[in-house]
Structures are given as C-alpha cells and as structure tokens.
Amino acid sequence: MTEAVLSNVAVLLSIGRHPVSGRARRGATDAQALEMALALRPRRLTAIHAGPAADADALRAYLGMGLERLTVLVLPDGADPVEALIAHLRRLAPSLVLTGRQAEDGEGSGMLPYLIARGLDAAMVPDVVRVGPADASDATPGKAAIVQALPRGQRRALTVSGRLVATVHPSAPPARASAFGPARRGVIEPVAVPVTVEVTADLFLSECEHRPWRPKPKLMRVKRGGSALDRLRAATESKSGKGQLLVNPTAEAGALAIYDSLVEQGMLP
Amino acid sequence: MSNSPIIRRRVDPRAERAARTVLTGPRPRLLRQPVAPTTINERRRDPRALRTAALVQHLPRPRYDWTRDAASPGTAAPAGVAVTAAPAIPLRVIAEPAYLVLAMLDRPGGEVSEHDRQVIAAARLLADGADAGGGGAVVTVATGSGAALAEAGSDRHVALPEGWADDYVPERRAAAASALMAALSPRHILFPDSPDGADVARRVAAAAGERLFTGVQSLSPDRATRQSSGGSLETGHRPTRLMTVAADAFAPLDGVRHEARPLDLATPMVAGEEVLPRLGGARRLAVDPDALALSEADFILSAGNGVTDWQSFAELGEALGATRAGSRVVCDAGHLPRERQVGASGTVVSARCYLAFGIAGAPQHLQGITGVKHVIAINTDLHAEMIKRADLSIVADAQDVMPALIRLIRERRND
C-alpha cells in the first residue's frame, strides 16, 4: 500500500529567470522538484506549466532532464494561474504535488503551492529535501515520510497522511543536467483551460507600482543611548581584552574552563 | 577738556619692560609682544581649551566629542557613568488603542530572536504612524509570557500554549492566527519572513483568501515595498492586511518600554486545538557536523599552525559534535580540505561558538570570524591577536589541552 502513496506525482514547473542576465531558464528549485519526482520513479508522472506558451526553449530544458511530455495550460499574459491549475489537478488527482519554493520571475510570493493545497484539500509541507514512503515500522499505510530542511543545515523528519503538496528546498539533491537530444524529442502538449474556470487578470499586481530594485544600505546594529563616547566606542573599537584569560593553567584546569564555557553557551549538554 | 571723562592709561615703561623680561643677567632676553593683561574676558571663547576638553581619544587618531557641555570644559564625566546615571525609560501606555497591529512571532526555543524584535519595530511603525492617525497598539502573539517583549515595543501580548514552542505545529499556529484575526479584527498582521514564520503566514493568507505581501523591505503607514522578479524589481503598494517582514530590514527598537499587558483570550488555543493536524511525528534528525557547510555550521572546532596532534583533533571534533575547520596554513599543508578553511580566502563563518586551537589570529582569519558570537582560543603565545579577540583565552599548548578535554567530556558523559 505504501507504494500507492507516491505512485501518482505531479510536478509544477515555472519559467525561471537568471539572476544576472535576466534570461529565461529552468527554475532552480523547480528543476530540483522534477529531479526528486524522477528519482521517486512513480507510475504516473505529470509535469505541468501554466502560462502563455511563449518561452518554449526554457521549458524544453525540463524535457532534457528525461521527461517525455510536458503539459502547458495556456493562459493569457498576466492571468492568475491558480484556479486553472487547481481545476487541472483535480482531474489528475495526484497523491503528491511537487513544486519549487517561489517563482524566480513575477510576483514570487510563494503563495501558489499553499493555494493549490487548499484547493485540493491537501497537506502542505514547505522546504522538503527528501520524500519517500513511510517506514514499515510506522505501520500506517498511506503515509509519506518527509525530511525538511531547517536553517543552519538542520533537518526535521515528518510523516504526512493523505494527499500532499510539497515545495523543494535548494539544499535538496541537485537537478541533473539537461541533455539536448531529449529536450528536442520531448513533447510540449498545450491544453486549453476548461471553460468552467474563470481566468481573471491579477488586479492586485496592476495596483502595485514597480521600479528597478536599488540595494539598500545594510542595517547596522548601533546601540543607541549612552554618551557619544560610548556609541563611538561601540561602533569603532573591536572587542578585545574583555574576555577571561588563563595563563599557563594545567591541562585539566584549561579543559575544565573550556568545558564550562561550552556548557554555558549551550553547545554541550 | 575738564568735562571729558576719558581716563588715559598711565604708561610705565619700566614695569612693562620688567614684565617682558624672561632672562635676566648680563644679556637680558625680552619678549617682543607685550604680555596679555591678566584679566580674562568672560565672553571670549578659547577654542584651544574647548578642543582639549572635547578630546576623548588621542591614539591612533584624535577623536572629539562635541556633544559635551561646552560651558564646563574639562569636567566631562568618565566613560560608562553616563549610561548608569541615565534616567529610567518612561513607560508608554496606550490605554484605548484606535486600532490593533498584530505581530506573530516565532520565538524559536522560547527566546526572542533578533528577527522577532525587527517585526515588532515594523509593527510599531504602523501603529504609531502619523498618516494613519497613530494611537494604534501592537499585539504580540507568541508562546511564553510577554515580559521579555515589553522592551521590544509590545503593548499587548497573547500567549500561545507552551507546548507549541518546541513542536512543529504550523497548522495549529495558523488556525490560532486566523481565530485572532476574527476576534480582534486587527488592521495589519505581520509575520517574520523566516522559514517557519512565512509558512504560517502563507497558511493564514490561503485560509483567509487574502493577499500576502511577502518580504517587506520598507514600511510606512501608506506604502510598503518588497523585492519581486527574483530581486530585480521593487514593488510598492499600500500596506495590505497580511505581510511578512524581511530579515534585517528594520532596526529593532531600543530605549522604549511598553506595557506588554497580557490579553486573556481563549480563542487562539481553542481554534488551534480543534485542528486535526495532517503533519505529524516531527523530530529533529541527527546531522553529521562535518557534512555541514562551514557558513551554516553553528559550532566550529578550528585548528591552526599550533596543532600537530591530528588524531586528538579528530577525536575532539567527534566528542564535541562540532564542525571541523582550519586556518589557511593548515589547509595549505593538506591537513584539512580546502573547503574547511576559515578566513578571508576561505569561508566567512557565522557560528555561535568557535573553539580555536593553536591559531595566532592573522587579520585575514579574524575577518573570517567577525560574525561569531563566542570565541574560545587556546594558544601558547600570550600576545597573539586571537587571545585578544577571544571571550575565553587559555595560554597553553593545544597538544596538552585537547586530550584533557576529550577525557573530561567522556567522563562527564559516562556519569
């Protein structure tokens, strides 16, 4: 039964944007999501892109990773893809939907997987680095075991029951390279959005004003209050000579001092 | 002439000459200029005296503090006294708030993080904003009590159940936030844009069907901006109801005191406990410390030229559970791989604790550890730069201390 959990996988792929050149490319975490889906070897793998069918070259980079076909939900420019994706995914009924963290182009709010999870009534797990069927010891069938990435390189294990939408963390296994031949041979399959779905333009985005990003000055942690001399000292002087100093202690005394200091810092139990 | 009041100064050439004489004897020496009158004009400022009074540091270059009382030169208080003598920060009470701004804090492990303080500072901008009328109150929502948040700028505090602090319960937190949104109807709700905070924010926004303005970089009562298009555009909009605040975009408040009065509300807990969580069995996994990138590591054990006993160094790294690293010399010599090098030409680390054996502290190495909170240095040279930088310095040979520390750790573990 555990196989059934991850047998029907859908991957949502977007067109990325190179951070320096601004060129269209495969999205970094989207490609990792596809890599994760390919590594699961599901019985059915569907890759979906929603948007105007313009940048076929960027999408072909995904096909070059070993996909045979890629479904494109054709939407007018600037339309909200959420409703169309939910309607399409409902028909597919995947047990696992994988996607990148947030779009590299456009608004990039990272809301899409959450809205889709809500639309599909699925559990939502962010920042996944590994997905697999739950251990035999965990017994309950229909559960997926997930490893999540946390800050500072830490990892957290979770089990999730039922349908699942997961976003992939950049520290997940790297995406394989895209090969030219498979990228040419792969099929991009345009699918019209069902008539029942109302495709609307995004009003919020048209209300926003956009301008080129200018780097902001870095926030300095200046201690306010005190006299000008104190503030000057805090800003200019490096902390030196304020620590505890032990000169030529015995090895045991030195080790004890280090041990106590580490315990105080919470580094040792 | 008789009615003229002019008093002419009598000139006494002998007395003047005597005053100008600096050396008597067979060859007297006289000053050229007449000596200044002894009485000092009160209204005249003496720039040299003012400058010496304002001088606070001679070396390496003179620094002046012009904010001191210029009327009393030379009577400046010694450093440190001003801070202790500062009056207590007045308590600011907002009794009848015109509107509420919610700050949903992470409080990882029960501590108020720097990012949490920044979120409260951003919430204060919205609550005190003159354009919006001001008079708003900041309501912090976090696990634990609000006492620690009063000095960060919190007016009211809603405590979440203690058990949520260590568990991973994003669905319950989101349900609690949604319940508070309905109960208090705040004007804005701010979340930290940290992995966990942003996760909860997106869950709340998806449940409420509202727009989430993520990663706010600048904020005023009538405009909020964020980065979009992969960081190439700045998108501005008037502040929406739900926003997440980017890290290091706002300075945390300092020198304020608010009441952080607890609000007794049962709604968030009830709403949170009602949720049937789909995510379960959360547990931290043991991570191999040597597999971590140095920039991500939290605890680093570092070796320099003073380490020759590499066996003990490896054992110590294992016993401490620390990520091993080294200085440039060590990596050049091939004792550690190149990606384990700390310093200007290696990795700039931001660990919480850095334990350095046999490192003298070249400027390039100290540059690499500027972000480290707690440094412990063991070196044979009392005058090494590393000893000056460290919070705990031990002048001893690394080869003696390392085995002793390994023995101590194993003893304590077996106890």
Side-chain angles (χ1 to χ4, degrees):
Chain A
M1 275 307 283
T2 48
E3 269 184 38
V5 182
L6 304 170
S7 63
N8 188 357
V9 177
V11 189
L12 308 182
L13 302 172
S14 68
I15 294 173
R17 179 184 178 283
H18 192 276
V20 179
S21 67
R23 273 203 205 151
R25 61 162 191 182
R26 57 175 190 175
T29 47
D30 292 1
Q32 284 178 301
L34 181 55
E35 172 68 46
M36 197 179 273
L38 289 169
L40 280 173
R41 298 179 174 280
R43 218 172 291 152
R44 184 175 175 196
L45 171 63
T46 327
I48 308 163
H49 169 78
D55 274 307
D57 280 352
L59 291 178
R60 284 204 174 269
Y62 292 115
L63 292 172
M65 290 170 67
L67 264 185
E68 279 164 15
R69 54 182 62 237
L70 172 65
T71 309
V72 176
L73 291 176
V74 184
L75 296 174
D77 207 356
D80 191 358
V82 172
E83 288 302 320
L85 278 172
I86 290 174
H88 191 74
L89 285 171
R90 274 207 189 117
R91 270 185 296 167
L92 290 173
S95 50
L96 170 66
V97 178
L98 284 170
T99 182
R101 275 178 127 186
Q102 62 182 65
E104 292 177 359
D105 203 357
E107 190 191 6
S109 66
M111 277 301 292
L112 184 128
Y114 289 83
L115 293 170
I116 283 176
R118 188 149 189 94
L120 296 179
D121 191 27
M124 167 70 214
V125 184
D127 296 340
V128 169
V129 290
R130 201 165 69 220
V131 178
D135 298 343
S137 60
D138 230 353
T140 349
K143 275 200 172 184
I146 284 173
V147 178
Q148 225 183 354
L150 302 179
R152 295 218 157 269
Q154 299 299 304
R155 296 282 185 269
R156 179 161 55 202
L158 287 175
T159 52
V160 183
S161 49
R163 194 177 278 180
L164 169 65
V165 178
T167 65
V168 175
H169 192 263
S171 62
R176 63 188 74 177
S178 176
F180 184 75
R184 289 294 106 189
R185 284 194 295 276
V187 181
I188 291 182
E189 194 178 19
V191 171
V193 176
V195 258
T196 48
V197 177
E198 196 183 338
V199 176
T200 50
D202 200 329
L203 287 177
F204 180 84
L205 281 189
S206 51
E207 274 176 38
C208 294
E209 67 257 44
H210 303 276
R211 59 174 75 153
W213 172 258
R214 289 172 62 196
K216 296 204 316 168
K218 206 176 154 194
L219 183 71
M220 284 181 72
R221 289 192 175 77
V222 182
K223 180 135 182 65
R224 260 173 268 166
S227 72
L229 177 58
D230 295 332
R231 293 197 301 270
L232 179 79
R233 285 225 171 109
T236 56
E237 281 180 11
S238 60
K239 193 169 71 67
S240 64
K242 281 176 195 162
Q244 193 192 344
L245 177 66
L246 298 180
V247 181
N248 292 327
T250 61
E252 280 67 32
L256 189 63
I258 297 171
Y259 188 89
D260 289 345
S261 172
L262 290 175
V263 169
E264 191 187 312
Q265 291 297 312
M267 292 298 157
L268 287 176
Chain B
M1 291 295 278
S2 61
N3 57 359
S4 118
I6 295 169
I7 303 167
R8 295 187 64 188
R9 206 173 124 243
R10 282 259 173 88
V11 177
D12 184 355
R14 281 197 188 79
E16 271 185 9
R17 189 186 162 86
R20 279 164 60 208
T21 307
V22 285
L23 198 62
T24 51
R27 288 184 62 200
R29 293 277 185 280
L30 273 73
L31 289 171
R32 279 205 183 156
Q33 298 296 320
V35 178
T38 49
T39 54
I40 297 166
N41 187 349
E42 291 291 329
R43 273 153 56 196
R44 185 162 172 176
R45 56 190 283 277
D46 181 357
R48 280 197 194 83
L50 289 178
R51 185 166 281 267
T52 37
L55 187 69
V56 292
Q57 176 192 328
H58 294 268
L59 288 170
R61 60 180 74 87
R63 301 255 187 219
Y64 299 97
D65 177 5
W66 297 112
T67 55
R68 290 193 199 184
D69 187 10
S72 57
T75 57
V81 170
V83 181
T84 50
I89 306 158
L91 177 71
R92 203 173 142 214
V93 178
I94 297 173
E96 296 287 328
Y99 56 92
L100 299 178
V101 179
L102 247 65
M104 306 283 301
L105 308 180
D106 274 350
R107 232 169 162 181
E111 278 178 42
V112 185
S113 69
E114 192 71 4
H115 201 167
D116 288 341
R117 290 180 197 281
Q118 293 170 4
V119 171
I120 299 176
R124 279 246 75 89
L125 281 180
L126 290 173
D128 298 337
D131 297 1
V138 173
V139 184
T140 51
V141 184
T143 53
S145 82
L149 297 166
E151 254 127 72
S154 155
D155 294 311
R156 308 278 190 277
H157 181 73
V158 178
L160 295 178
E162 281 298 326
W164 295 6
D166 298 321
D167 296 351
Y168 178 62
V169 283
E171 292 154 317
R172 291 199 161 150
R173 280 179 184 263
S178 299
L180 277 175
M181 211 163 121
L184 300 176
S185 53
R187 191 178 281 187
H188 303 285
I189 307 181
L190 304 187
F191 300 81
D193 200 40
S194 57
D196 281 352
D199 180 33
V200 174
R202 290 187 178 122
R203 283 174 202 275
V204 173
E210 282 193 40
R211 205 69 186 212
L212 178 69
F213 208 66
T214 52
V216 170
Q217 293 278 355
S218 74
L219 194 58
S220 66
D222 54 352
R223 196 177 140 85
T225 66
R226 64 180 288 262
Q227 269 181 303
S228 64
S229 264
S232 65
L233 290 180
E234 185 189 69
T235 301
H237 194 267
R238 86 194 124 65
T240 56
R241 197 155 172 226
L242 297 170
M243 290 184 278
T244 65
V245 177
D248 293 337
F250 299 91
L253 294 178
D254 208 356
V256 295
R257 199 155 67 89
H258 290 257
E259 47 182 351
R261 191 203 308 162
L263 280 185
D264 283 327
L265 288 174
T267 36
M269 293 85 189
V270 173
E273 301 298 345
E274 273 176 2
V275 170
L276 189 67
R278 288 180 170 129
L279 318 181
R283 63 178 201 283
R284 289 294 184 97
L285 295 181
V287 180
D288 175 19
D290 282 334
L292 283 181
L294 271 189
S295 53
E296 280 192 328
D298 213 19
F299 180 18
I300 296 178
L301 171 67
S302 189
N305 206 17
V307 173
T308 52
D309 184 1
W310 292 99
Q311 186 63 38
S312 295
F313 181 70
E315 280 176 27
L316 183 58
E318 206 176 308
L320 288 171
T323 308
R324 280 179 290 165
S327 65
R328 186 191 55 79
V329 187
V330 162
C331 294
D332 279 356
H335 293 301
L336 286 171
R338 180 59 73 194
E339 75 266 12
R340 298 283 121 188
Q341 183 189 328
V342 173
S345 55
T347 313
V348 177
V349 299
S350 59
R352 260 196 302 155
C353 187
Y354 188 81
L355 178 54
F357 280 96
I359 292 182
Q364 288 84 352
H365 190 86
L366 294 180
Q367 204 179 335
I369 58 166
T370 40
V372 176
K373 271 200 192 127
H374 192 78
V375 177
I376 304 173
I378 295 93
N379 201 310
T380 47
D381 181 8
L382 173 61
H383 304 289
E385 287 297 317
M386 199 67 185
I387 296 284
K388 290 181 196 160
R389 163 70 174 84
D391 300 272
L392 169 63
S393 322
I394 292 168
V395 180
D397 189 17
Q399 273 57 245
D400 301 336
V401 179
M402 281 196 294
L405 187 53
I406 295 170
R407 276 198 302 276
L408 183 65
I409 292 167
R410 290 192 178 147
E411 265 174 36
R412 295 282 170 102
R413 199 165 287 165
N414 293 336
D415 279 354

